[in-house]
Amino acid sequence: MAALVRDTEVHKALYVDQQVFELEMEHLFANTWVYVGHASQIPNKGDYYTTTVGTQPVVMVRHTDDSVQVLYNRCPHKGVKVAGEGCGNTGKFFRCPYHAWTFKTDGSLLSMPLRKGYDNTGFEHCEAQHGMAKVGAVREYREFVFCRLNPQGESFEDYFGESLSTIDNMVDRSPVGKLEVAGGVLRYMHNCNWKMLVDNQTDTCHPMVAHESSAGTAVKVWNEAPAGTPKPMAVELFAPFVSPYEFFEKMGIRVWQNGHGHTGVSDSIHAEYSPAPGYWEQMVEAYGETRAKEILGDVRHNTVYWPNIMVKGPVQTLRLFKPIAANRTLVESWTFRLVGAPDLLLERTLMYNRLINAPTSVVGHDDLEMYERAQEGLHARGRDWVNVARLFDEAERDQRNAVTNGTNEWQMRNQFRAWLKYMTASMPEATK
Amino acid sequence: MSSFSAQQLIDFVYAEARMLDEQRFEEWLDLFTDDGHYWMPLMPGQTDPRLQCSLLYEDKLLLRVRIERLGGQRTFSQQPRSRCHHLLQAPTIESADAARGVWTLRTAFHYVETRLDQQNLFVGWCTHDLVAVNGALRIQTKRVDLVNCDAAFGNINLFM
């Protein structure tokens, strides 16, 4: 494993090798704190939502004591996924649709038909008697639910450190300090490795090149509009993508520990959106002017929470990169309503999501074309490494919570160091 | 106020699909009213394009961006270009108000989009809200409801 990650290069096997992918699912996605869902998706007792952590099927459910539980979605009897796809309310218990075994919403076995047939069979020694298995650990942070599949490992606080400030900022943008999942989720299938998407989130040197076709054309069409035409919201969202290198250099990148980091420290492409009438007054009322200014002045661009989500505080979106195979990834783009804030902000959030993250998005098309070309190109012989050397400095290895030039590939290197750390944390010495 | 026969309304829908298949996009865009929209909902039965997400909800400016981008020199995702084919069931006139000059037609379709060796089939219904503008039919809203609108898709590059 260690041989695959160098200071400034990573081996192509990280992207194309299915065996490496299987190891990622077994180790990396079990040792890290992975995003599951948002508590607003399951407000009432018995509400559930099914998803995957890595490739593991799980169900997030509101238990009778109001806690959020994350269970492997697998009947201990014959292996059937107990909770149906999507979301719903299961009442006080889950009932497997195959043989009617039932489970409390914390997973424990409640009943099974023909119970007597298990007398004197040693059933009490079978794993099935413990019901649906819980994941290793669950933690809800300001309603964002994360889990670690492995029971042992790094604590939530040590894992995320100061990076949680991006979630704080997104939640604080609501005058009542609350978010709700809203608007529907965009689902976009990518024939590429999940890490290509993660790498791209802090890749500030591609927008002016790859998105010249989409954002660049939007600017061109807008420039042809008659003078005096009010600038449409869509142009406001598109245009900053084709800002020059200098803009991205200056906006900065903050690099935290364990693969987390964000672009847009002092400025970002989300800084200049038109104000929503009434919103500023609501924020001042809720927080006071100084604090309101601080919250809204923090215009972070993309925050990567390693391994597989990206959060945009000022736009209230969360993208989840769900790994399916070495060369296949489902991208889910979720949107949030700032509870108590004007509807116009949700409208903008949804327009942003549609314009940038949909399978019909021209910006999405630009990116996916590059990912898929890379997925195929990486198979080429003669070059085995992917390069992440820009602005490398040996001193960076020991630093955490550092701010640097916005075109530094430090954050990508940070991700690969985290990749190695969590891949090997639970491996026997010889395979590290 | 202009009046249109049932056949003229139906022919308009066929002609519109043919423009797309033949990639006559400039002509196609001219079919829309100045405040017209092309809408692909994300959810079955969706009624709100503003506070519910859609796959597409585009005015003429955004449609123009899309069309100009398709032919751009640095539009790498369209090199080579996509092609498409519409197969329409006979449109039905759902409502007609000649006095106000507004008509709604519904058309079931199979739509195929291809690029390189990949061929994708999309199936659904189109709803055309048509209006008379200076004696000609124009599209106020073209709504495209895919039967699996909430499924995970790869790229959808052209117009249904």
Side-chain angles (χ1 to χ4, degrees):
Chain A
M1 284 298 126
L4 297 176
V5 178
R6 297 174 176 169
D7 273 339
T8 60
E9 296 176 304
V10 289
H11 195 269
K12 65 183 180 185
L14 267 74
Y15 297 90
V16 300
D17 189 324
Q18 185 60 23
Q19 278 182 311
V20 170
F21 178 86
E22 302 298 341
L23 289 169
E24 287 177 340
M25 295 306 109
E26 188 183 339
H27 295 280
L28 175 64
F29 277 80
N31 291 325
T32 48
W33 285 89
V34 180
Y35 179 71
V36 184
H38 192 263
S40 69
Q41 294 170 273
I42 51 165
N44 303 310
K45 290 179 175 55
D47 285 349
Y48 71 87
Y49 160 71
T50 61
T51 180
T52 47
V53 171
T55 46
Q56 291 293 303
V58 300
V59 55
M60 174 175 90
V61 59
R62 180 79 62 179
H63 187 42
T64 41
D65 67 359
D66 269 329
S67 64
V68 172
Q69 305 276 327
V70 180
L71 312 171
Y72 288 96
N73 191 8
R74 190 262 199 214
C75 183
H77 182 206
K78 302 291 189 197
V80 170
K81 289 206 268 186
V82 176
E85 286 299 302
C87 55
N89 186 287
T90 192
K92 287 191 172 143
F93 57 89
F94 286 113
R95 178 178 181 273
C96 179
Y98 198 8
H99 300 97
W101 286 29
T102 60
F103 309 93
K104 292 182 190 167
T105 44
D106 64 357
S108 56
L109 182 61
L110 183 63
S111 70
M112 57 230 271
L114 307 173
R115 181 70 180 80
K116 280 200 167 136
Y118 292 91
D119 288 351
N120 307 314
T121 63
F123 184 70
E124 64 276 20
H125 304 300
C126 295
E127 66 170 15
Q129 62 137 343
H130 299 296
M132 294 168 70
K134 292 184 186 200
V135 300
V138 179
R139 180 65 189 272
E140 193 182 330
Y141 183 81
R142 302 199 75 176
E143 297 202 294
F144 289 78
V145 179
F146 293 83
C147 81
R148 193 186 60 222
L149 295 180
N150 278 346
Q152 271 81 46
E154 206 165 0
S155 74
F156 182 86
E157 288 74 15
D158 288 346
Y159 183 72
F160 283 118
E162 290 183 19
S163 73
L164 293 168
S165 54
T166 290
I167 289 179
D168 288 335
N169 179 259
M170 182 153 73
V171 180
D172 291 344
R173 284 170 175 266
S174 153
V176 297
K178 193 169 167 55
L179 298 179
E180 269 173 15
V181 166
V185 56
L186 285 168
R187 303 170 69 236
Y188 191 178
M189 194 60 81
H190 282 52
N191 289 320
C192 68
N193 189 274
W194 63 276
K195 292 187 294 302
M196 285 188 190
L197 282 134
V198 183
D199 297 349
N200 181 262
Q201 304 311 307
T202 60
D203 182 328
T204 51
C205 294
H206 86 282
M208 66 296 285
V209 182
H211 299 309
E212 183 185 335
S213 93
S214 49
T217 305
V219 170
K220 179 173 160 282
V221 169
W222 166 243
N223 287 339
E224 290 160 4
T229 314
K231 195 177 192 179
M233 189 188 275
V235 173
E236 220 174 65
L237 299 177
F238 267 140
F241 275 72
V242 281
S243 302
Y245 288 111
E246 296 71 35
F247 176 84
F248 289 96
E249 282 181 319
K250 278 186 194 147
M251 80 179 196
I253 291 189
R254 183 176 281 121
V255 183
W256 291 299
Q257 76 269 32
N258 298 333
H260 317 303
H262 81 90
T263 44
V265 179
S266 57
D267 195 0
S268 88
I269 64 169
H270 307 309
E272 297 295 329
Y273 298 155
S274 303
Y279 177 50
W280 167 248
E281 291 75 12
Q282 289 179 327
M283 290 295 283
V284 171
E285 169 93 355
Y287 296 101
E289 196 168 330
T290 311
R291 177 72 187 128
K293 212 175 253 177
E294 202 175 272
I295 293 166
L296 299 180
D298 196 342
V299 290
R300 300 178 187 195
H301 173 225
N302 290 346
T303 297
V304 169
Y305 287 108
W306 180 255
N308 67 329
I309 62 168
M310 183 279 279
V311 169
K312 272 187 193 293
V315 193
Q316 297 94 52
T317 57
L318 183 153
R319 300 183 79 202
L320 174 55
F321 311 114
K322 287 184 157 179
I324 295 173
N327 60 359
R328 200 160 164 84
T329 306
L330 173 61
V331 181
E332 292 184 349
S333 296
W334 292 85
T335 44
F336 298 88
R337 176 200 295 277
L338 297 170
V339 177
D343 279 348
L344 185 68
L345 292 174
L346 177 61
E347 184 179 352
R348 186 168 68 200
T349 298
L350 297 179
M351 181 184 271
Y352 187 92
N353 211 26
R354 195 167 71 226
L355 291 179
I356 311 300
N357 299 328
T360 39
S361 154
V362 287
V363 171
H365 295 168
D366 292 338
D367 284 326
L368 181 52
E369 176 72 12
M370 296 307 122
Y371 305 148
E372 292 185 349
R373 285 197 196 192
Q375 194 67 34
E376 292 178 18
L378 282 171
H379 285 276
R381 293 177 189 165
R383 289 283 179 268
D384 290 331
W385 298 85
V386 170
N387 192 283
V388 287
R390 192 184 307 115
L391 295 172
F392 170 68
D393 176 354
E394 295 208 352
E396 76 187 31
R397 283 195 215 96
D398 308 316
Q399 292 184 53
R400 43 203 277 169
N401 307 335
V403 171
T404 182
N405 180 309
T407 59
N408 197 333
E409 285 176 334
W410 183 353
Q411 170 54 19
M412 291 185 216
R413 296 187 290 274
N414 181 33
Q415 288 162 193
F416 291 116
R417 287 173 196 138
W419 183 88
L420 188 60
K421 172 178 173 181
Y422 296 105
M423 276 293 267
T424 55
S426 49
M427 275 182 186
E429 202 55 43
T431 48
K432 289 182 184 177
Chain B
M1 186 50 72
S2 319
S3 179
F4 295 93
S5 68
Q7 195 57 49
Q8 283 174 306
L9 294 166
I10 289 165
D11 286 349
F12 179 91
V13 173
Y14 287 134
E16 189 246 347
R18 182 166 173 171
M19 280 181 198
L20 290 172
D21 287 353
E22 294 175 354
Q23 308 218 359
R24 286 147 52 205
F25 293 123
E26 289 294 331
E27 234 178 298
W28 178 74
L29 194 57
D30 287 341
L31 293 181
F32 285 79
T33 62
D34 287 345
D35 59 349
H37 279 85
Y38 176 90
W39 184 20
M40 284 180 78
L42 182 62
M43 300 303 291
Q46 188 175 333
T47 55
D48 182 359
R50 213 170 65 87
L51 299 180
Q52 284 288 316
C53 197
S54 300
L55 288 164
L56 282 177
Y57 182 63
E58 307 222 325
D59 58 12
K60 267 186 123 163
L61 178 119
L62 284 173
L63 291 174
R64 171 155 296 288
V65 170
R66 230 166 241 285
I67 288 166
E68 292 209 6
R69 175 184 173 274
L70 285 173
Q73 218 180 348
R74 288 181 173 163
T75 305
F76 302 107
S77 70
Q78 281 294 292
Q79 295 171 14
R81 298 279 287 262
S82 298
R83 296 176 211 146
C84 71
H85 178 277
H86 287 76
L87 187 65
L88 305 186
Q89 202 175 50
T92 54
I93 300 171
E94 300 292 305
S95 70
D97 186 340
R100 285 175 53 232
V102 293
W103 298 268
T104 300
L105 281 85
R106 182 176 188 273
T107 311
F109 70 85
H110 280 195
Y111 168 86
V112 167
E113 197 171 286
T114 71
R115 185 170 174 252
L116 294 162
D117 294 332
Q118 185 71 36
Q119 175 169 298
N120 294 318
L121 174 66
F122 300 90
V123 175
W125 303 269
C126 283
T127 308
H128 288 78
D129 289 330
L130 303 180
V131 294
V133 178
N134 299 328
L137 284 172
R138 289 288 174 263
I139 300 170
Q140 187 62 48
T141 305
K142 178 177 179 180
R143 172 177 172 142
V144 179
D145 285 281
L146 290 177
V147 67
N148 60 341
C149 53
D150 49 359
F153 299 112
N155 283 351
I156 297 173
N157 289 291
L158 303 176
F159 305 96
M160 294 188 197

